[in-house]
Amino acid sequence: MSTMNTLSEWFSTPPGKYLLECEQALFDHSVADIFGYNAIQFGLAEYDFLRTSRMPLRATAGDEIGVQVRLDAEELPFGCCSLDLVILPHVLEFHPQPHQILREVVRVLRPEGNVIISGFNPHSLWGARRALGAQMNYPWCGNFITLPRLKDWLALLGLNVITGRFACYAPPLSNPNWLNRFHFMESAGDRWWAVWGGVYFLQAIKHVSGMHLIKPRWNEGLVGKLIPATPKLNREISQCTAQNPEGRTIHNE
């Protein structure tokens, strides 16, 4: 087996094509219903996971060749609260500082902005394949993050998971004929062993606490002593206003 130096190269293999087909369908369905103006896809510039998005500004970003915006994911060159949608297709498990990436994503997301994450599930046949060896090649060299751990990170950063699912239940076989024989597991997996999918797919939203009106605490005793307005008092106020059209303060001597 030839060595895969990038995840994009691995996507050209039979298991890679199988995973790419599943994830493309998930991204197509999710981004089509998210509204806003600015959307960014980190990494994998060869694959347009934003193709069904209706946002006017869509771009790919990362430190690889082919992206539209070259950047370091740990220090994003975007203003705070400037993006409506960020998607991270297998970014976190192949970066040494995944938590820092999420911090930056939260910073640049607008209130109620969305982030969509796809990642390899270590508690699956795909995770077992990584544990059995070949950890020098893609995608097995990645640090697969468990779903509970990822959810904890998102919660600590103020991101609320609104939807998620698993996909790719067939084993990651290199032989396309054998892989096709296990294709029935895709439909059966959602029903019988949903948490054992090879990849997970999460959509989270950035919630910002709303402002609350702070009302003054009135002195009830003082309020009870206030003199209600009378017709005579109203006439006196009108006369004072007419004599001072510029709003100058009247001093009683």
Side-chain angles (χ1 to χ4, degrees):
M1 180 184 297
S2 60
T3 302
M4 298 296 168
N5 297 317
T6 65
L7 188 61
S8 295
E9 290 182 15
W10 179 78
F11 275 138
S12 64
T13 66
K17 292 178 180 178
Y18 163 56
L19 181 142
L20 181 61
E21 181 181 355
C22 292
E23 291 200 358
Q24 185 71 69
L26 292 173
F27 277 112
D28 287 348
H29 175 75
S30 297
V31 303
D33 296 327
I34 300 175
F35 298 94
Y37 296 95
N38 306 308
I40 294 292
Q41 170 185 328
F42 284 94
L44 299 177
E46 302 93 328
Y47 310 100
D48 188 5
F49 295 124
L50 289 170
R51 65 185 185 182
T52 62
S53 174
R54 287 173 278 182
M55 295 191 187
L57 177 59
R58 303 184 300 272
T60 56
D63 59 356
E64 60 193 65
I65 298 176
V67 297
Q68 295 171 301
V69 182
R70 294 292 295 271
L71 52 77
D72 184 353
E74 296 182 29
E75 298 180 1
L76 300 180
F78 304 115
C80 296
C81 303
S82 60
L83 302 179
D84 298 286
L85 172 62
V86 174
I87 63 174
L88 303 172
H90 297 286
V91 173
L92 301 180
E93 60 257 63
F94 297 104
H95 196 281
Q97 298 293 333
H99 195 269
Q100 177 59 26
I101 293 178
L102 289 177
R103 285 183 180 273
E104 281 292 279
V105 168
V106 172
R107 181 183 65 82
V108 301
L109 273 181
R110 295 180 184 272
E112 306 303 315
N114 289 263
V115 58
I116 301 178
I117 303 170
S118 65
F120 288 99
N121 179 18
H123 299 156
S124 66
L125 293 175
W126 294 64
R129 172 69 177 83
R130 176 182 181 275
L132 291 176
Q135 296 184 13
M136 297 301 295
N137 299 334
Y138 273 85
W140 320 116
C141 61
N143 181 24
F144 293 2
I145 303 170
T146 64
L147 186 58
R149 184 184 183 190
L150 179 57
K151 286 184 174 181
D152 286 343
W153 287 355
L154 297 176
L156 289 173
L157 294 173
L159 292 170
N160 183 28
V161 176
I162 58 175
T163 185
R165 62 161 299 174
F166 291 88
C168 298
Y169 296 93
L173 302 174
S174 299
N175 188 312
N177 294 327
W178 279 100
L179 187 60
N180 289 332
R181 292 183 181 182
F182 285 95
H183 191 71
F184 73 94
M185 296 179 66
E186 193 62 35
S187 57
D190 278 337
R191 182 175 181 181
W192 299 110
W193 52 84
V195 296
W196 302 108
V199 296
Y200 51 72
F201 188 86
L202 291 180
Q203 179 180 345
I205 191 169
K206 176 183 176 181
H207 281 312
V208 177
S209 300
M211 294 184 295
H212 298 280
L213 179 62
I214 301 177
K215 298 181 180 180
R217 298 184 62 182
W218 295 101
N219 188 320
E220 298 296 338
L222 180 61
V223 172
K225 297 179 182 180
L226 293 177
I227 303 175
T230 62
K232 180 180 178 181
L233 180 60
N234 289 336
R235 287 196 301 269
E236 293 178 355
I237 294 174
S238 299
Q239 292 175 0
C240 291
T241 304
Q243 295 174 3
N244 295 273
E246 297 180 2
R248 292 190 292 269
T249 303
I250 298 176
H251 298 278
N252 295 325
E253 296 181 359

